[in-house]
Amino acid sequence: MTLESPSAFSNQDILNTLIIGAGPAGYTAAIYLARYGRNPLLVTGMQPGGQLTLTTEVENFPGFAEPIQGPWLMDQCRDQAMACGAKIEYDTINAVDFGVRPFQCIGDARTYYAHSIIISTGAATKWLDLDSETFYRGHGVSSCATCDGRFFKDKDVAIVGGGNTAAEEAIFLSQHAKTVTLIHRRDALRADKVLQQRLFDIPKVRLLWNHKVVRVLGTTQEHNPALPGKVTGIVVENTLSQEQTSLPMDGLFVAIGHSPNTDIFKQALPTDSDGYLLSTPGSSATSIPGVFVAGDVQDHVYRQAVTAAGQGCMAAMDAERFLQIQPQHHTQDMVQ
Ligand code: NDP
């Protein structure tokens, strides 16, 4: 994989903005930039739609009185971006060079040149890596209590993890579920003390220390046993004695952290200690003028579809302002 010299392309090949990543942030940026007449190109990556394609019903995206399906919402965002004039390319960027102008991004299919870049590659949930966990994802196994907690009203649920996310999600789940069992592999949480205290004060939350989940139990569909039915329990293992126990459970939430999808940018842009890209507070700008970030790739606090969409809008507006002060803005309409 080699980056081409800047003289190897003509102006006709240079995009105003290349958007990398097809979640709510990327699609919203595409919608805005298309409406600015900037003919943006969005490269989807390997999981078009991002984390929302892993969820089922979405109730917390404003504008829909009835629950909608996560994958459907992403299809709508894609279609809306295309209807506004954005181009979508099903390709994966493997390397970037932000040290040259125009910027260069190498995909599986081809190299892209752009005056500005919006990075919206999202973050990937960390999972326990159990086959049974994968099988029941979206059918009782979830990584987002805020998204799916309401579907477990008066049910017994377990949550794995010991950080702020697990503590916050356990507290949130306790507002809906009958019981919440927080399972942690050690005997102390790393969550903030104030959150821990709130958690310990909730009678329906039970703490299971020094345990890990080793299996998810459940049914399969009557007409097709190859498909998941619903979760009925979990098998946990004591990390000190290795003793295994089955616990009846209606749902399992995994909250052991996220990994931002930033590997290809780490050489080019600063990240925090967890690998999230850094931006100027109150803006989507990075340390490189013309490179902007939006969504979960730079946000480990809110991580919601609606906040990612808002950040996509911010990045598009910042990119538009950047393009307006570039000399090449006189030739914007030639792209693609
Ligand atoms: P963290 O990395 O803080 O915590 C992950 C937890 O999962 C740890 O307790 C860890 O255990 C456990 N864990 C990791 N891998 C496994 C595994 N394979 N099996 C079982 N358990 C595992 O992630 P969070 O998502 O909680 O938080 C990420 C960042 O976001 C943090 O900086 C956090 O403070 C921040 N955040 C802030 C919030 C706020 O301020 N309101 C809300 C939510 C997050 P162990 O402790 O043993 O390592």
Side-chain angles (χ1 to χ4, degrees), residues 128 160-165 168 184-186 190 255-257 274 300:
L128 300 170
V160 186
N164 277 337
T165 303
E168 276 196 348
H184 187 35
R185 61 185 177 182
R186 296 188 291 124
R190 67 168 66 216
I256 61 171
D274 294 321
H300 59 71

Side-chain angles (χ1 to χ4, degrees), residues 275-286:
Y276 289 84
L277 294 176
L278 296 174
S279 57
T280 308
S283 142
S284 66
T286 66

Side-chain angles (χ1 to χ4, degrees), residues 116-268:
S116 64
I117 304 279
I118 292 177
I119 300 172
S120 50
T121 46
T125 300
K126 286 188 193 161
W127 295 98
L128 300 170
D129 283 336
L130 306 170
D131 290 344
S132 52
E133 173 200 51
T134 309
F135 187 66
Y136 286 107
R137 255 190 235 169
H139 297 268
V141 173
S142 167
S143 62
C144 181
T146 317
C147 319
D148 298 332
R150 239 174 69 84
F151 307 122
F152 293 87
K153 192 164 168 48
D154 298 326
K155 306 270 188 193
D156 298 309
V157 297
I159 179 159
V160 186
N164 277 337
T165 303
E168 276 196 348
E169 299 213 330
I171 292 166
F172 177 80
L173 285 168
S174 73
Q175 295 164 18
H176 302 287
K178 184 165 72 183
T179 65
V180 178
T181 304
L182 189 141
I183 301 167
H184 187 35
R185 61 185 177 182
R186 296 188 291 124
D187 63 357
L189 301 179
R190 67 168 66 216
D192 296 345
K193 288 284 176 277
V194 59
L195 270 180
Q196 293 194 31
Q197 199 50 56
R198 279 180 58 204
L199 190 68
F200 298 155
D201 287 346
I202 303 171
K204 67 165 75 164
V205 174
R206 168 185 167 213
L207 278 296
L208 192 56
W209 301 113
N210 298 315
H211 276 78
K212 61 181 184 179
V213 175
V214 293
R215 201 168 156 207
V216 182
L217 307 171
T219 62
T220 53
Q221 291 187 13
E222 203 178 320
H223 302 298
N224 187 349
L227 296 176
K230 60 177 187 175
V231 168
T232 56
I234 54 175
V235 179
V236 293
E237 183 178 295
N238 187 311
T239 54
L240 306 176
S241 68
Q242 278 75 53
E243 187 188 345
Q244 294 197 351
T245 316
S246 292
L247 302 174
M249 213 59 80
D250 300 299
L252 175 69
F253 288 83
V254 179
I256 61 171
H258 286 77
S259 304
N261 300 319
T262 52
D263 283 355
I264 59 169
F265 306 113
K266 279 184 178 155
Q267 300 291 330

